[in-house]
Amino acid sequence: MSYKSHSHAQWSSRMAFVLAAVGSSVGLGNIWKFPYMTGESGGGAFVLVYLICIFLVGLPMLMSEWLLGRLGQKNPISTMGDITRRLKRSRAWVLIGVAGILGAYLILSFYSVIGGWALAYIQMAVVDTFSELNNDSVGTLFGNLLASPVELLLWHSLFMIMTIGVVVGGVAGGLERAAKTLMPALAVLLVLLVGYAATTGAFAEGAAYLFTPDFSKITRDGILAALGHAFFTLSLGMGIMMAYGSYLSDDVNIGRSALIVVVMDTVIALLAGLAIFPIVFANGLDAAAGPGLIFQTLPLAFGNMAGGWLFGLLFFVLLVFAAWTSAISLLEPLVEWIEERSPLSRVGSTIVAGLATWALGLATVLSFNVWGDFAPLGMFDKFAGMTLFDLLDYVTSKLLLPLTGLATVLFVGWFMGRDELRSQLNMSDGAFALWRVAVRFIAPIGVVIVFISSL
Ligand code: TRP
């Protein structure tokens, strides 16, 4: 693809690219995962570490993935294959692409189950379940959903069908167009929720919880969690952003586009936190409630607001949308790989990839009920009490994402020539030098230190 400069087409495709990247990055990670991890890891200190990781590691890393993709112009495995061949580097770097496909598969298997929770809450909003809720029953409502494998399975299946449907039908264009209005709508709704949170009387407490770092409360594992989440929320370390970069024309400014994506992603996460914690404190709920946090707090707020059922409905619809656009990007790498490696058509590959993901999702579905006490690695202290869902989350966010991320920045920082990189990044010399320091030193050293100290 190439665009004439100053034409309208160029602007709109640059927009489309940034939107697609925002669609992938803004998802359950921002609204579901970020608040509950903050609550589990003690608040402000976690948020500060997370912000540092986002800007010092995530941003330079996002730029690295995009420029690799733009140089290679193929799927992540072939891209790494081509670039290593051309630069006469070890073929082992191709493992970055392999780890990416595996990681995206593992993530989507549980991501879809959580997307299913959001679908279930749409239904609850429609039948106006929220208006009678109190502090206790909001927990029971969520508990009942988790306790029913059949219900979880149905919603997980529906979410997978929606994801497969888009990837098969190639209606991504339509979805992208929808995302153009729905993503801003989500932001507006979050701002409204923050407005509501301001009326609960605990807004200052909630804001202080998020923004006043108390370093006695953060553990080494919390720091690793912040790092892993920086990768998760920006869709890094899985070759996905690399694949997006492969469709990128040469005149798009990678640095500026990356900054837009990172800022939008961060703002959405912080808004979610500002909406949720005041409600938690005002109602005497538990900030460390874990993965159920937003599902056990926001319905209370909707129940108390005038017209709350409508806001509730809108919120969960938009949440599903954000999750959907991310899920599509998670299914894509596996589909692409099956399509290239097998005689299957695009449709066949998508169905096989989707079914395989759906099947692994059963492990997560059962983790919340029948297999709730099943800790496969329980014999190791570190994994005591962790269900299959916990392990999937741990292995992807705390191992695979940081390790493939580390490999990517090492490759870009130390195994590629300065001039080649310079030609990809049309930014000022100062900004380029800064980026290179981040990629060569800050990001790799940071990841290694966090990693070693948490083991
Ligand atoms: N970033 C998405 C979110 O925050 C999830 C996601 C989509 C993702 N694609 C990814 C995470 C690739 C890691 C890698 O919800």
Side-chain angles (χ1 to χ4, degrees), residues 246-414:
S246 68
Y247 302 113
L248 202 51
S249 73
D250 281 336
D251 51 3
V252 171
N253 186 324
I254 286 184
R256 198 182 311 147
S257 309
L259 194 61
I260 295 175
V261 171
V262 168
V263 168
M264 300 254 260
D265 189 85
T266 306
V267 167
I268 298 274
L270 293 178
L271 283 176
L274 274 179
I276 285 157
F277 287 108
I279 299 173
V280 170
F281 295 129
N283 292 288
L285 300 168
D286 179 14
L293 186 65
I294 65 163
F295 297 97
Q296 286 166 290
T297 51
L298 293 180
L300 264 186
F302 297 130
N304 289 330
M305 284 179 211
W309 73 270
L310 183 64
F311 283 116
L313 179 61
L314 266 177
F315 175 81
F316 286 109
V317 167
L318 293 173
L319 180 61
V320 164
F321 237 93
W324 201 7
T325 51
S326 301
I328 292 161
S329 77
L330 282 164
L331 187 57
E332 186 63 32
L334 184 59
V335 171
E336 214 174 32
W337 183 74
I338 295 179
E339 197 181 354
E340 281 169 24
R341 295 297 161 102
S342 76
L344 289 173
S345 65
R346 169 89 189 165
V347 175
S349 311
T350 310
I351 292 173
V352 168
L355 278 177
T357 313
W358 175 84
L360 185 62
L362 298 182
T364 296
V365 163
L366 296 173
S367 290
F368 294 105
N369 37 68
V370 183
W371 288 351
D373 295 321
F374 176 42
L377 297 180
M379 57 282 211
F380 305 107
D381 277 355
K382 187 156 188 84
F383 302 108
M386 287 173 91
T387 62
L388 279 167
F389 160 71
D390 297 327
L391 288 175
L392 281 167
D393 183 32
Y394 190 96
V395 167
T396 51
S397 286
K398 292 187 179 163
L399 297 178
L400 274 175
L401 296 182
L403 285 181
T404 46
L406 175 65
T408 310
V409 282
L410 285 179
F411 182 76
V412 171
W414 296 93

Side-chain angles (χ1 to χ4, degrees), residues 47-394:
V47 175
L48 185 66
V49 175
Y50 164 75
L51 290 177
I52 293 172
C53 291
I54 283 271
F55 284 94
L56 287 187
V57 183
L59 178 63
M61 165 86 200
L62 180 57
M63 294 167 64
S64 305
E65 280 205 24
W66 280 351
L67 76 82
L68 282 175
R70 184 157 75 181
L71 281 169
Q73 303 272 316
K74 300 222 173 66
N75 75 63
I77 293 182
S78 314
T79 284
M80 289 312 293
D82 282 8
I83 295 178
T84 49
R85 207 170 302 119
R86 192 159 49 76
L87 300 178
K88 303 202 168 49
R89 300 297 182 191
S90 160
R91 292 278 292 164
W93 294 106
V94 172
L95 280 175
I96 292 176
V98 177
I101 290 177
L102 175 68
Y105 169 64
L106 298 179
I107 290 176
L108 184 56
S109 79
F110 69 80
Y111 203 87
S112 166
V113 177
I114 315 298
W117 295 358
L119 284 172
Y121 274 69
I122 292 182
Q123 188 239 348
M124 293 182 204
V126 169
V127 299
D128 200 15
T129 312
F130 300 155
S131 58
E132 300 119 40
L133 288 178
N134 60 39
N135 298 11
D136 291 327
S137 58
V138 75
T140 314
L141 188 68
F142 181 67
N144 288 345
L145 174 66
L146 291 202
S148 165
V150 176
E151 236 186 285
L152 289 186
L153 182 63
L154 287 176
W155 293 117
H156 159 56
S157 307
L158 179 57
F159 190 86
M160 262 334 285
I161 291 171
M162 288 164 54
T163 306
I164 294 171
V166 170
V167 178
V168 159
V171 293
L175 202 80
E176 248 167 50
R177 238 172 325 204
K180 223 184 265 192
T181 44
L182 292 171
M183 288 298 197
L186 178 65
V188 170
L189 208 71
L190 278 176
V191 171
L192 284 178
L193 277 176
V194 173
Y196 169 80
T199 69
T200 58
F203 190 72
E205 199 184 335
Y209 182 76
L210 271 181
F211 297 118
T212 317
D214 172 356
F215 283 99
S216 67
K217 286 203 188 132
I218 193 160
T219 58
R220 286 175 179 181
D221 226 34
I223 296 175
L224 180 58
L227 177 76
H229 189 61
F231 285 94
F232 187 94
T233 192
L234 292 175
S235 304
L236 293 175
M238 299 282 97
I240 285 172
M241 288 302 185
M242 218 188 273
Y244 279 30
S246 68
Y247 302 113
L248 202 51
S249 73
D250 281 336
D251 51 3
V252 171
N253 186 324
I254 286 184
R256 198 182 311 147
S257 309
L259 194 61
I260 295 175
V261 171
V262 168
V263 168
M264 300 254 260
D265 189 85
T266 306
V267 167
I268 298 274
L270 293 178
L271 283 176
L274 274 179
I276 285 157
F277 287 108
I279 299 173
V280 170
F281 295 129
N283 292 288
L285 300 168
D286 179 14
L293 186 65
I294 65 163
F295 297 97
Q296 286 166 290
T297 51
L298 293 180
L300 264 186
F302 297 130
N304 289 330
M305 284 179 211
W309 73 270
L310 183 64
F311 283 116
L313 179 61
L314 266 177
F315 175 81
F316 286 109
V317 167
L318 293 173
L319 180 61
V320 164
F321 237 93
W324 201 7
T325 51
S326 301
I328 292 161
S329 77
L330 282 164
L331 187 57
E332 186 63 32
L334 184 59
V335 171
E336 214 174 32
W337 183 74
I338 295 179
E339 197 181 354
E340 281 169 24
R341 295 297 161 102
S342 76
L344 289 173
S345 65
R346 169 89 189 165
V347 175
S349 311
T350 310
I351 292 173
V352 168
L355 278 177
T357 313
W358 175 84
L360 185 62
L362 298 182
T364 296
V365 163
L366 296 173
S367 290
F368 294 105
N369 37 68
V370 183
W371 288 351
D373 295 321
F374 176 42
L377 297 180
M379 57 282 211
F380 305 107
D381 277 355
K382 187 156 188 84
F383 302 108
M386 287 173 91
T387 62
L388 279 167
F389 160 71
D390 297 327
L391 288 175
L392 281 167
D393 183 32
Y394 190 96

